[in-house]
Amino acid sequence: MAAEPPDEWATGQLDLGAYLRRISYAGDLAPTAATLAGLHRAHVAAIPFENADIMLGRGVRADLPSIADKLVRRGRGGYCFEHGQLLAAALVQLGYPVDRLLARVGSPHDTRSHLVLRVHVGGQPWLADTGFGTGLIEPLPLRDDGTPHDQYGWTYRVRADGAHYWQLQERQDDRWATCYHVDDQPQYPADVLVANHFTSTYPDSAFVRQLVVIRKDPGGLRRLTGRRLSITRPGLPAEDGYLDDARFAAALTGTFGLRLSAEEVARLTAVTRDAADVA
């Protein structure tokens, strides 16, 4: 009898029931496209995108046990390397074949600093990405047919970019803007470890320079960049403003639902105040 392949991503260590409770998902668990969409939508709505640990000087651990402890047990948010691995582990346990892929955000010559998933359902690959913050609410079919997909007022499409790359594009005003370029080569845990280390420690990384917290659901997009809060709802004018200390602290735990101690909130308040003074 052939030996079982090693669980190099540690997917078996995820408490699937705890994850489903964390995202408030009680629907069907059969590995279908409908289940994938439901899980993806629930995950994005429940778990914020945030880089607070970097701003607190802790860095980000990219192994699944650490991710599950932070995002599931302690109720925190995270960024792409955490969101993507957490969703991937749940999907694998439910019977979905999953490839972890790395993407280049912005320019096709930028570093591969973003983790996305290719999920196979009945012979059809899907692009799943719960860790882009401002991106997808539900997965998209990974095929180059140019079809625009409306997601609660935001419109996306996937386009082939040569033999081994894909582009995720978002309709912005009257043009298609490329969110990122996805390399279709499956990655290994070591690849994610290196990409996460670069993204969370390189001095010029956007996630090292400033606090970013995002929540997106069918009702709207709320984004905190440093002290600036923007709220966007499809079809309505954007709201944008600078938060003072009190409103900033309230937004962290209220608007964005981050489970932070009083000491952590105080430290983030000071860090973002200092950064605003420098700017």
Side-chain angles (χ1 to χ4, degrees):
M1 180 180 294
E4 288 292 321
D7 184 11
E8 61 182 352
W9 294 97
T11 56
Q13 297 186 39
L14 175 67
D15 182 337
L16 180 61
Y19 168 75
L20 295 174
R21 290 190 295 273
R22 172 72 172 97
I23 65 172
S24 300
Y25 181 84
D28 188 15
L29 295 179
T32 64
T35 299
L36 174 61
L39 290 166
H40 197 289
R41 185 171 56 248
H43 181 125
V44 170
I47 306 180
F49 179 99
E50 50 112 331
N51 68 332
D53 276 357
I54 298 174
M55 307 311 296
L56 290 168
R58 299 171 182 159
V60 175
R61 293 190 61 87
D63 60 287
L64 184 64
S66 297
I67 294 168
D69 177 69
K70 178 182 174 183
L71 275 65
V72 177
R73 188 184 70 82
R74 293 192 283 124
R76 282 281 305 281
Y79 72 167
C80 67
F81 300 108
E82 299 167 287
H83 280 275
Q85 290 197 77
L86 183 60
L87 177 63
L91 294 176
V92 169
Q93 286 200 26
L94 291 171
Y96 292 90
V98 178
D99 298 317
R100 288 84 167 168
L101 308 178
L102 288 174
R104 304 177 191 271
V105 179
S107 166
H109 298 152
D110 285 343
T111 187
R112 297 187 302 171
S113 61
H114 180 59
L115 178 67
V116 305
L117 307 179
R118 178 171 56 198
V119 185
H120 301 269
V121 185
Q124 167 66 53
W126 292 75
L127 175 67
D129 184 3
T130 51
F132 195 62
T134 61
L136 301 177
I137 294 177
E138 298 177 359
L140 295 182
L142 194 55
R143 56 174 179 253
D144 184 31
D145 59 6
T147 301
H149 297 267
D150 178 78
Q151 295 197 346
Y152 308 96
W154 292 277
T155 304
Y156 298 94
R157 72 179 183 184
V158 173
R159 299 301 304 268
D161 183 13
H164 300 291
Y165 278 89
W166 298 86
Q167 292 182 24
L168 174 68
Q169 298 182 327
E170 180 181 2
R171 188 72 176 176
Q172 297 179 357
D173 298 323
D174 60 349
R175 67 184 184 91
W176 287 101
T178 298
C179 301
Y180 50 72
H181 305 255
V182 182
D183 185 338
D184 72 0
Q185 179 180 357
Q187 303 296 303
Y188 299 99
D191 300 311
V192 173
L193 178 68
V194 171
N196 173 68
H197 177 71
F198 172 86
T199 305
S200 62
T201 65
Y202 184 62
D204 287 338
S205 167
F207 299 112
V208 173
R209 294 197 309 265
Q210 62 186 355
L211 177 72
V212 181
V213 188
I214 303 171
R215 296 201 76 156
K216 186 176 184 180
D217 57 38
L221 169 65
R222 298 163 294 283
R223 177 171 184 154
L224 183 64
T225 307
R227 287 296 187 91
R228 186 156 297 279
L229 174 65
S230 63
I231 301 175
T232 306
R233 299 179 179 88
L236 297 174
E239 304 172 32
D240 186 85
Y242 181 85
L243 302 182
D244 60 20
D245 285 4
R247 291 191 297 157
F248 171 78
L252 288 177
T253 57
T255 302
F256 295 98
L258 298 190
R259 297 185 187 178
L260 298 166
S261 69
E263 178 184 358
E264 290 169 329
V265 171
R267 289 174 61 192
L268 290 171
T269 301
V271 167
T272 52
R273 185 194 308 123
D274 292 345
D277 290 343
V278 170

